[in-house]
Amino acid sequence: MATKVGIISLGCAKNQVDAEMLLYKIREAGYEISDDPGICDIAIVNTCGFIESAKQESIDEILELATLKREGQIKKLIVTGCLAERYNNELMKEMCEIDAVVGIGGNEDIVTVLNRVMEDEKVNIHPDKMLMPLEGKRLQSTPPYTAYIKISEGCDNRCTYCAIPIIRGGHRSRKMEDIVSEATDLANKGVKELNVIAQDTTRYGMDLYGEYRLAKLLKELCKIDGFKWIRVLYCYPDKITDELIEVIKTEEKICKYIDIPLQHCNKDVLRRMNRSGDKDSLLALINKLRKEIPDIVIRTTFIAGFPGETEEEFTELCQFAKDVKFQRMGCFPYSIEEGTPAAEFPNQLDEETKAHRAEIIMDQQSYIMDEYLESQIGKEMEILCEGYDRYAECYFGRGYCDAPDVDTVTFFTTTGEKPKIGEFYNVEITDFLDSSLVGKIID
């Protein structure tokens, strides 16, 4: 009887892609993949370690599985991912139930690790993070119609608040032909929505080709039969070129959607973050995007309560968000991350102030969202059907303006044939509820 292995992947979609590569290696080695890590032989937690709340979620998950191990429901517990990379030597000391801790450079050796723990060895490996494989087959864990494709690993931006370069290392692009080959395989398997991800997608190609090549890569991806939507996430404002804007504007398969984590608008705060730009340059970029691509939906994130952020600087951020009216926005209180320059900055704000500022800007955004959603009533929108909500007694799905996992859904009804999951339908928007649109299929 094959040994059952289950994996819980936490955090971002980039981590999910890593988990899918691990799953493929594990299955090919003869292990049986279980959908429920709580009742399998080996449970793997692929952790996130980006900010404090993510670290706590990872620790809570490990502790829950450790309890199940003590109760005999699982035999072995393995920790991989960002937390394992960042606190490799500490995790096993703190939690004796952990059988293996695998830094990201050890992902290639996951099968060896599994074999060793099943022989009752304790394993703690922490190879060079640059050994983390960029290429490899994946066992897709997303619904069959949608997938992520990671085009690079690591980051060179060195924002002072961010631990990603510490955890993941410097920026490394994948070869364009390897990305296109993987994307073709996904399309052949039935993927219709491809979400392009990296720590910084706009830096793609600089290390390999000496120039930004995201626009060229997108053009190649658009040539692949099968994709209906190609979505671009995690773009940095100073690297959004005219060529990239033109590709988003003219390529039919590219969703008129862009995710640009701005983090702030005040020049002084941005400099302390080691980020370029200021309010005027950011406004110029947003206005240019909206002029060139009138239907574009812009998603962004902000950090509230960065060290030294004054009331005036925060007020400027609030006004900026109010004036721009982002269709999609998140704001998070600043999280002190050990090892980052910002953790040592003077004038750290207290937790209550940071949380309050984030709450203020998100409350403001809720009114902006209501205005935007109301403006969509009466319009027709193509919706990718994702399921049926038995409580709402209607179907739900996403439009081009909604990325999976991070944005909202549209609820819709039909008087005709039952919609199929993974298919696209024209929906007339008739209302909105909370942050979701409501509509009906146009027969």
Side-chain angles (χ1 to χ4, degrees), residues 404-420:
D405 301 321
V406 295
D407 292 324
T408 58
V409 297
T410 295
F411 293 97
F412 59 93
T413 58
T414 180
T415 56
E417 192 174 321
K418 180 181 177 181
K420 296 178 181 178

Side-chain angles (χ1 to χ4, degrees), residues 56-206:
Q56 190 58 54
E57 181 186 17
S58 295
I59 291 168
D60 290 344
E61 196 67 58
I62 295 168
L63 291 172
E64 184 175 337
L65 289 170
T67 299
L68 294 179
K69 183 186 175 188
R70 289 194 298 271
E71 294 172 351
Q73 293 189 52
I74 61 175
K75 295 178 182 177
K76 303 294 180 181
L77 176 56
I78 296 175
V79 180
T80 63
C82 291
L83 203 70
E85 175 65 28
R86 197 170 184 189
Y87 302 106
N88 190 279
N89 296 316
E90 300 170 37
L91 286 172
M92 200 173 283
K93 292 178 184 177
E94 295 294 328
M95 288 176 267
C96 61
E97 294 85 358
I98 297 175
D99 295 284
V101 178
V102 184
I104 64 171
N107 281 9
E108 187 70 33
D109 303 316
I110 189 63
V111 172
T112 301
V113 172
L114 265 61
N115 294 339
R116 289 174 63 185
V117 299
M118 289 307 292
E119 295 293 327
D120 295 327
E121 282 190 59
K122 289 278 189 177
V123 181
N124 189 358
I125 61 171
H126 192 210
D128 188 334
K129 59 176 64 69
M130 302 305 279
L131 294 175
M132 180 181 177
L134 298 184
E135 306 301 330
K137 293 185 178 181
R138 297 156 50 188
L139 186 59
Q140 189 178 335
S141 60
T142 52
Y145 52 82
T146 185
Y148 297 97
I149 190 161
K150 186 161 65 167
I151 63 173
S152 65
E153 180 56 71
C155 190
D156 286 344
N157 290 317
R158 304 289 172 178
C159 301
T160 57
Y161 53 81
C162 184
I164 291 298
I166 299 171
I167 300 169
R168 293 278 176 169
H171 178 263
R172 293 175 290 153
S173 298
R174 296 175 61 193
K175 293 180 180 179
M176 190 178 297
E177 56 266 33
D178 292 335
I179 298 169
V180 172
S181 176
E182 182 183 355
T184 302
D185 288 342
L186 290 169
N188 291 338
K189 291 175 182 176
V191 171
K192 299 174 183 177
E193 176 190 38
L194 187 70
N195 298 283
V196 179
I197 57 172
Q199 303 297 341
D200 174 5
T201 53
T202 40
R203 187 180 284 272
Y204 172 74
M206 181 55 74

Side-chain angles (χ1 to χ4, degrees), residues 280-300:
D280 291 340
S281 65
L282 297 177
L283 279 173
L285 172 62
I286 292 161
N287 290 336
K288 184 174 188 176
L289 285 165
R290 287 176 168 170
K291 179 182 177 183
E292 293 295 323
I293 315 167
D295 293 331
I296 196 166
V297 167
I298 302 175
R299 159 169 277 283
T300 196

Side-chain angles (χ1 to χ4, degrees), residues 3 21 27 44 57 78 357 406 412:
T3 301
M21 292 175 68
R27 187 188 66 178
I44 301 174
E57 181 186 17
I78 296 175
R357 289 184 179 181
V406 295
F412 59 93

